[in-house]
Amino acid sequence: MSGPAAPEALAEPSQPAGRAWTAALSLANGAIWVGWYGPLQILLALQAAELAPPGTPKESVLAWVTGAGAVVSMVANPLFGALSDRTASRFGRRTPWIAAGVAGGAGALALLAGARSVAVMVLGWCLVQLTLNAAFAAITAAVPDRVPRRQRGAVGGWLGAAQILGVVAGTGLATAAGGVAAGGAAEGGGATGGVAAGYLACAGFVVLGTLPYVLGHRDPVLPAGRRPRLSVRALAAGFWISPRRHPDLGWAWLTRFLINLGNALALLYLLYYLRDVLHRPDPGGGVLILTAVNGVTLLGTVVVGGFWSDRAGRRQPFVLWSGVIMTVATGLLAGWQTWPGALCAAALLGVGFGVFTAVDFALMTQVLPAAAHRGKDMGVINIANALPQVAAPALAAPIVHHLGGYRMLYAVAAAVGLVGALLVRRIRGVA
């Protein structure tokens, strides 16, 4: 499928990706993360505190909402990746799903803006995950479609930079447009209108940020005769890639899952940690400060780490040591529960996650089994990003309430991340 006779959409790319293409794809990627992390960092937590039924902890409501959305994400990403593999439109395989996904995501964020019950919150967030994952699956598959292996660390770095800028921008929009007053929200003090404005601001950014890529760049067209067979059985079977047949992909997937799980455990209750443990007077503003600190250090390493990995021709050492740095950072949240400790942890998490984001993405694209199924396979890999969103609430809520509180939560997060970092050494086909 990747020989000289293969169509452009299925050929192994050989020409370097241009700067304009990389910039537009990175902006679209960042816009999607705005749509995810404005809600995840601020808005969902405030709504959970506001709409929690009497006697129900806000942490539990947040866990229900984010957990349900993550389940949808796990199914949606490989499903839409597989559908994009089979799309033979004149606009290409990936672009139609990017356009449809961001339009649907904006509508789902608008639904969340008007939510007045936990049930509508769950519905709205599940729709956000469904639609934005359709777009995200297509965006990540575009990299192995268009970028040669020797350049994927650098492109992964730019995508990672856009990702963290999206997290920061989403948090900033949620804070500024929403007029966040976390304490007032917890007391039912009228933050509903501000939360709605935050959702709508995120929705607008999602749409505007993807337009340059959708309108300005051609996507290779898949000839109808080369389209894989479409059936429910084939789609369902595609959710499983045998680790026995593809052991490097299995170990790479597990590495990504565990490091992302450690990171998700560290970030899930950050707003509540600042409010209930550190007693910050403005925990919403504190989240924004920590996110900005994290973003600055991440931006300082994500592109450099990707370029350095390309130059060295190696991936494993970068993934290993970035995981170790993240373990140290999460350990600080467990052992040094002060505002300066949180700032140091945020900075170190940025350093580690920056390198990990760029290099692990490049590593993953190098263990894909087949060109014809890049979208589906990247979707299966992206489950390692979504599944921690399900596992983290399921683990975090009982740890916080019954097994030692926030100190134990962050100790568990550090241990999980360290195991993930060490497992990268089991990969044989990528140095």
Side-chain angles (χ1 to χ4, degrees):
M1 296 291 283
S2 59
E8 184 184 2
L10 299 179
E12 183 67 25
S14 58
Q15 296 300 314
R19 293 179 180 178
W21 182 90
T22 302
L25 188 73
S26 298
L27 178 59
N29 185 55
I32 289 174
W33 286 82
V34 167
W36 276 327
Y37 270 80
L40 281 171
Q41 293 282 74
I42 296 289
L43 300 173
L44 290 174
L46 292 177
Q47 269 189 323
E50 198 173 299
L51 301 178
T56 302
K58 60 186 180 295
E59 293 90 348
S60 296
V61 172
L62 183 61
W64 296 339
V65 174
T66 57
V71 170
V72 172
S73 176
M74 285 193 298
V75 176
N77 208 293
L79 173 62
F80 286 111
L83 291 174
S84 72
D85 286 335
R86 293 161 169 79
T87 299
S89 82
R90 64 189 181 93
F91 300 106
R93 291 196 292 176
R94 316 301 182 191
T95 297
W97 294 101
I98 297 173
V102 298
L109 288 167
L111 175 63
L112 273 172
R116 295 295 180 268
S117 69
V118 174
V120 177
M121 274 187 70
V122 171
L123 174 62
W125 186 240
C126 286
L127 288 173
V128 169
Q129 291 284 27
L130 179 73
T131 53
L132 291 187
N133 268 286
F136 185 64
I139 284 174
T140 54
V143 175
D145 281 351
R146 304 293 297 275
V147 182
R149 293 188 177 195
R150 65 183 181 275
Q151 193 187 8
R152 289 179 189 170
V155 172
W158 288 115
L159 289 175
Q163 174 181 319
I164 191 57
L165 287 173
V167 172
V168 173
T171 305
L173 285 173
T175 304
V180 170
E187 300 166 4
T192 302
V195 168
Y199 279 124
L200 294 176
C202 291
F205 197 103
V206 166
V207 173
L208 293 175
T210 54
L211 286 178
Y213 185 82
V214 170
L215 299 179
H217 294 276
R218 184 187 69 85
D219 193 22
V221 174
L222 177 69
R226 301 298 294 269
R227 179 169 50 194
R229 185 173 61 89
L230 179 62
S231 70
V232 173
R233 183 175 181 179
L235 289 175
F239 278 70
W240 174 253
I241 301 175
S242 171
R244 184 180 296 274
R245 293 179 57 196
H246 307 286
D248 281 352
L249 180 60
W251 288 117
W253 190 98
L254 188 57
T255 292
R256 170 173 280 208
F257 167 73
L258 290 174
I259 291 180
N260 275 299
L261 177 58
N263 195 54
L265 287 168
L267 297 178
L268 179 65
Y269 290 156
L270 189 56
L271 182 74
Y272 301 150
Y273 173 74
L274 295 181
R275 175 191 293 163
D276 300 336
V277 178
L278 301 190
H279 306 294
R280 295 290 298 175
D282 179 14
V287 171
L288 181 59
I289 291 170
L290 293 179
T291 304
V293 169
N294 179 269
V296 168
T297 56
L298 194 155
L299 287 172
T301 59
V302 65
V303 178
V304 172
F307 273 105
W308 189 6
S309 176
D310 285 344
R311 288 286 187 93
R314 295 173 62 81
R315 309 295 187 197
Q316 284 194 25
F318 294 88
V319 173
L320 173 63
W321 286 106
S322 63
V324 170
I325 291 171
M326 293 171 67
T327 297
V328 172
T330 310
L332 285 178
L333 292 174
W336 188 15
Q337 294 191 331
T338 65
W339 177 242
L343 288 170
C344 290
L348 279 176
L349 275 173
V351 171
F353 200 65
V355 176
F356 173 78
T357 298
V359 180
D360 186 68
F361 179 84
L363 186 154
M364 285 293 188
T365 66
Q366 291 181 224
V367 295
L368 297 179
H373 306 291
R374 289 173 182 141
K376 182 267 294 180
D377 292 340
M378 288 300 295
V380 172
I381 287 169
N382 285 333
I383 292 176
N385 298 329
L387 186 57
Q389 296 179 41
V390 178
L395 291 171
I399 289 173
V400 169
H401 288 292
H402 306 296
L403 300 175
Y406 284 95
R407 195 178 299 276
M408 180 58 69
L409 174 68
Y410 293 125
V412 169
V416 168
L418 180 59
V419 171
L422 295 174
L423 287 179
V424 76
R425 303 297 297 172
R426 302 299 298 272
I427 298 170
R428 298 289 179 256
V430 180

